[in-house]
Amino acid sequence: MSIRSIIIDDEPNNIENLVSLLNQHCPDIDIVATAMNADEGIAAINMHHPELIFLDIQMPGKSGFDMLKSFAGINFEIVFITAYDQYGIQAIKFSALDYLLKPININELKAAVEKARLKIVAKQKNSNIENLLQYIKAGNKEIPKIALPTLQEIMYVRIDDIIHCEASNNYTLFYLQNGERILVCKTLKEFSELLTPHNFIRTHQSHLVNQHFIKSLLKEDGGTLLLTDQAKIPISRQNREMVKARLNTTL
């Protein structure tokens, strides 16, 4: 099965390099068009109706995100391509989407294409893109939702509904305000990087806590957090001073 694809990137060398890599390593990718800016990309998408686009985030004028906002609905898969862009990567990770850093790693490219192919075959609704666009449109005005991939589905949860997260081998168990628990197919380290800027504290190797749900700091066992759901969360020795400093203005 060939996958109709478009590459949108403002640098000709990057387009040529990606075309070459795809021809060599992803023979099922059929490049039906390329574009060097957002407006050309919109025209190409409307003309060719691709199943997959490779999209640069940072382009002169309109960014890749700006381009996506112009569509009433997204009915194609996307692999983002970017040089390091902290905000862009944060937004993409929040929505459990794939991105490739320049220069492109061949194994990562092949993995991203395979994931896109499986979604295309399954004809899944691209809810991840919808979540990304909501995240971008909200900016800092609203609490964003985070995509939580479980074994059965991808769930979208407001981060202010998360009380705490607990490591479970290579999985993470999320405890929500409504009492629900969600086992997610990613490590706690990945979520710690995403959620720490949103008032979460890594108290322990196995625990990440939403600061808004901390009720008190107990002195037992050298330091334990009591949460509003009555859970007791340990604080590791190496994290004690950091946790106390973070809580100094709230407790």
Side-chain angles (χ1 to χ4, degrees):
M1 167 188 154
S2 62
I3 299 172
R4 293 190 313 280
S5 304
I6 291 175
I7 299 173
I8 305 170
D9 193 307
D10 65 308
E11 298 183 29
N13 289 342
N14 289 338
I15 293 177
E16 292 175 10
N17 179 57
L18 182 53
V19 168
S20 176
L21 291 176
L22 290 169
N23 287 338
Q24 293 178 59
H25 302 284
C26 305
D28 55 341
I29 296 297
D30 178 19
I31 305 297
V32 296
T34 63
M36 294 185 58
N37 58 54
D39 290 334
E40 288 182 8
I42 292 169
I45 290 168
N46 288 333
M47 176 179 293
H48 296 282
H49 306 289
E51 297 165 293
L52 172 64
I53 67 169
F54 297 89
L55 178 61
D56 190 12
I57 296 176
Q58 296 173 319
M59 296 184 289
K62 295 178 183 176
S63 70
F65 291 160
D66 292 332
M67 188 200 80
L68 293 176
K69 291 179 190 176
S70 68
F71 290 96
I74 304 294
N75 57 2
F76 45 81
E77 293 299 321
I78 302 172
V79 174
F80 292 97
I81 301 174
T82 182
Y84 187 74
D85 173 353
Q86 186 172 3
Y87 172 75
I89 291 174
Q90 179 90 348
I92 291 166
K93 285 183 176 180
F94 254 87
S95 302
L97 289 160
D98 284 311
Y99 69 95
L100 301 171
L101 284 175
K102 301 174 183 178
I104 294 172
N105 177 281
I106 293 172
N107 290 330
E108 291 176 357
L109 173 63
K110 291 164 69 174
V113 167
E114 176 61 16
K115 287 174 68 175
R117 185 186 67 79
L118 293 174
K119 290 180 182 178
I120 292 166
V121 169
K123 293 182 169 33
Q124 295 177 351
K125 180 182 178 183
N126 206 332
S127 300
N128 300 47
I129 294 295
E130 293 178 6
N131 192 67
L132 171 68
L133 294 178
Q134 289 174 7
Y135 182 103
I136 296 165
K137 289 176 182 177
N140 295 323
K141 299 176 184 177
E142 299 177 17
I143 301 297
K145 289 183 179 180
I146 185 169
L148 302 180
T150 72
L151 290 173
Q152 294 80 28
E153 60 187 334
I154 296 179
M155 303 181 68
Y156 299 91
V157 174
R158 283 170 54 90
I159 62 172
D160 60 351
D161 287 335
I162 302 167
I163 298 177
H164 63 105
C165 313
E166 182 178 0
S168 179
N169 295 318
N170 289 325
Y171 293 79
T172 301
L173 185 60
F174 279 71
Y175 295 79
L176 305 187
Q177 194 172 5
N178 63 3
E180 187 176 4
R181 297 182 181 184
I182 302 174
L183 186 64
V184 180
C185 310
K186 286 188 177 183
T187 65
L188 185 65
K189 180 179 183 295
E190 294 178 76
F191 289 113
S192 179
E193 294 171 354
L194 281 178
L195 293 173
T196 295
H198 294 275
N199 294 309
F200 280 71
I201 304 175
R202 185 76 176 266
T203 66
H204 184 278
Q205 184 177 359
S206 299
H207 295 278
L208 181 66
V209 174
N210 187 337
Q211 191 169 327
H212 296 305
F213 291 100
I214 297 173
K215 186 175 181 180
S216 61
L217 175 61
L218 306 176
K219 294 182 180 179
E220 61 186 52
D221 299 324
T224 301
L225 292 179
L226 177 65
L227 306 187
T228 56
D229 66 349
Q230 302 306 308
K232 290 184 177 181
I233 306 297
I235 304 173
S236 65
R237 181 177 301 175
Q238 61 266 34
N239 287 347
R240 284 176 193 166
E241 294 307 314
M242 177 274 293
V243 171
K244 289 178 181 179
R246 288 280 300 272
L247 299 181
N248 188 46
T249 58
T250 59
L251 294 180

